[in-house]
Amino acid sequence: MSALRTLDDLLAEGVSGRRVLVRADLNVPLDKQTGAITDDGRIRAVLPTLGALVEAGAKVVVCSHLGRPKGAPDPQFSLGPVAGRLGELLGAPVHFATDTVGDSARSTVAGLADGQVALLENLRFNAGETSKDEAERGAFADQLAAFGDAYVDDAFGAVHRKHASVFDVPARLPHVAGRLVLREVEVLSKLTADPERPYVVVLGGSKVSDKLAVIEALLPTVDRLLIGGGMCFTFLKAQGLEVGTSLLEKDMVETCRNLLERSGGKIMLPVDVVVADAFAPDAAHDTVRVDGIPSHRLGLDVGPETVAGFSAALSQAKTIFWNGPMGVFEMPAFAAGTRGIAEAITKADAFSVVGGGDSAAAVRALGLDESSFGHISTGGGASLEYLEGKTLPGIAALEN
Ligand code: 3PG
Ligand code: MG
């Protein structure tokens, strides 16, 4: 990887009075009922970059996506509440534009004084942001680029997307990596280049199909791969076990069998699981051995023996990467597996990286001390694709 130009390079040039367009990933989880922000980790993660620009007297124009609106305004995905929270955290009002590149955005940007911050409405309210059509994306990128004299990418969670604000805008403006993007890339490159061993990876989450590429890429590199979460049931099925009504990707069973055969014993699967009558917080539940899952029940967490076994493997590790919860941690009855693994990671004498929006949110939702992890990545898909060795459009654009 060629060296990235960084925020410090831009600050050294002087940004006072200049408009700096910052792509952030402010895609925070919202409460389904109230719309309130349930985890502001991604907003806090971008504060070092924004604070430095404010301090240096830049006119800071922040843009982001939130959720997956379909190329048109959709009030449930408005960044309005995020503007409020960002202002609280910065200790100064954030001027919110009610559109992304329209009249409101133009007048908001034009009205910024030195050291003030604006936030544009959701990038994905515009079809051009995510378009596969270069010209459509380019036209939107032109409009965005008109709001900046320089561009800072601090949206690590979105660097794997070939979107206008991530890929096309940096081709139009002087561009640098923000503090968050730089730190994420430094940490993840350490994992791929020369991890201290043993290197143990823990993967959870619901779907094998989402993780297949990273499993393939990691198998030759890691010393141990611990698999929990909903996706463990497809692996258990591949071992010939019955999994009741647990999550199962039937078309992946053969693939999992093949991975297990090729893994040279590196893959560790649960030995016990918590099974329930239904996917509900108050469902009746018990812990059973993996060869005793009743046909009418579904697994919603890994069991205590699994936590003990995985924890023993983690206690030996010198490098740990963790992506994906071990169970339905949002429901207290099925949170013990995720909590136990997270605690084992914090206790290990290892450099630990938590990858992913969901795992990072789990750490905070479970009340664990964030500072006891080596690094908590703000990118889920992005960190996995980085570890897969893929070219990330947002990083490639900064390198050019
Ligand atoms: C994420 O939450 O993974 C990032 O913000 C990217 O969002 P996306 O998967 O909708 O592109
Ligand atoms: Mg995602």
Side-chain angles (χ1 to χ4, degrees), residues 25 27 42 65 68 124 157 161:
D25 181 353
N27 183 22
R42 279 182 164 166
H65 72 286
R68 292 181 174 171
R124 293 185 185 172
R161 302 293 183 217

Side-chain angles (χ1 to χ4, degrees), residues 37 43 173 219 291 340 351:
I37 297 166
I43 307 178
L173 290 175
L219 262 186
D291 58 4
F351 177 63

Side-chain angles (χ1 to χ4, degrees), residues 124-143:
R124 293 185 185 172
F125 286 1
N126 306 268
E129 169 66 357
T130 61
S131 178
K132 299 256 184 291
D133 182 85
E134 306 266 332
E136 193 185 11
R137 251 190 7 250
F140 181 58
D142 285 339
Q143 291 179 292

Side-chain angles (χ1 to χ4, degrees), residues 5-357:
R5 293 192 74 236
T6 68
L7 186 68
D8 286 332
D9 297 326
L10 181 66
L11 293 171
E13 285 168 12
V15 291
S16 179
R18 291 172 76 195
R19 299 165 310 152
V20 178
L21 180 65
V22 180
R23 175 49 158 112
D25 181 353
L26 305 177
N27 183 22
V28 290
L30 303 175
D31 184 279
K32 283 195 184 65
Q33 258 86 51
T34 66
I37 297 166
T38 55
D39 179 60
D40 66 2
R42 279 182 164 166
I43 307 178
R44 287 186 287 118
V46 79
L47 293 175
T49 289
L50 298 186
L53 288 167
V54 165
E55 181 103 332
K59 298 172 175 172
V60 186
V61 181
V62 183
C63 61
S64 175
H65 72 286
L66 178 86
R68 292 181 174 171
K70 300 272 170 278
D74 182 344
Q76 62 170 319
F77 296 115
S78 173
L79 279 166
V82 170
R85 183 70 188 129
L86 179 58
E88 283 169 23
L89 291 166
L90 281 170
V94 165
H95 302 264
F96 182 61
T98 55
D99 57 29
T100 320
V101 291
D103 288 344
S104 174
R106 274 190 296 272
S107 62
T108 304
V109 173
L112 283 180
D114 296 358
Q116 288 189 335
V117 178
L119 175 63
L120 307 179
E121 183 55 286
N122 197 333
L123 291 159
R124 293 185 185 172
F125 286 1
N126 306 268
E129 169 66 357
T130 61
S131 178
K132 299 256 184 291
D133 182 85
E134 306 266 332
E136 193 185 11
R137 251 190 7 250
F140 181 58
D142 285 339
Q143 291 179 292
L144 279 173
F147 292 146
D149 304 307
Y151 169 88
V152 176
D153 187 359
D154 221 18
F156 181 73
V159 292
H160 60 318
R161 302 293 183 217
K162 194 174 178 180
H163 292 169
S165 63
V166 176
F167 184 72
D168 304 274
V169 173
R172 288 163 168 75
L173 290 175
H175 47 265
V176 301
R179 299 243 148 99
L180 176 65
V181 162
L182 196 65
R183 166 91 179 126
E184 297 263 19
V185 168
E186 274 169 8
V187 166
L188 292 171
S189 64
K190 205 162 131 189
L191 293 194
T192 44
D194 190 18
E196 215 190 318
R197 296 181 179 281
Y199 176 21
V200 179
V201 170
V202 190
L203 292 179
S206 49
K207 285 183 164 172
V208 187
S209 45
D210 287 349
K211 303 281 159 77
L212 188 62
V214 78
I215 295 174
E216 289 279 8
L218 286 172
L219 262 186
T221 313
V222 300
D223 297 296
R224 278 256 130 122
L225 180 56
L226 318 180
I227 294 179
M231 71 177 193
C232 78
F233 298 100
T234 304
F235 279 95
L236 293 172
K237 183 80 183 173
Q239 286 193 317
L241 298 170
E242 290 311 322
V243 298
T245 57
S246 307
L247 258 183
L248 177 66
E249 282 179 279
K250 284 208 181 73
D251 53 348
M252 294 296 295
V253 173
E254 202 43 51
T255 306
C256 289
R257 186 172 297 136
N258 184 270
L259 281 170
L260 287 168
E261 269 166 22
R262 286 189 289 127
S263 84
K266 286 179 180 177
I267 296 182
M268 257 178 103
L269 294 173
V271 293
D272 60 348
V273 290
V274 181
V275 293
D277 288 344
F279 186 90
D282 54 355
H285 55 275
D286 298 286
T287 300
V288 299
R289 313 257 339 145
V290 288
D291 58 4
I293 301 176
S295 61
H296 62 286
R297 305 189 91 182
L298 78 167
L300 295 181
D301 196 8
V302 299
E305 267 192 55
T306 302
V307 171
F310 283 12
S311 299
L314 289 164
S315 72
Q316 311 282 311
K318 283 282 171 248
T319 306
I320 297 171
F321 176 75
W322 170 36
N323 177 288
M326 295 292 101
V328 189
F329 75 90
E330 298 89 340
M331 303 180 187
F334 312 110
T338 303
R339 175 185 293 283
I341 295 309
E343 283 172 355
I345 293 172
T346 64
K347 283 187 198 129
D349 182 21
F351 177 63
S352 59
V353 179
V354 182

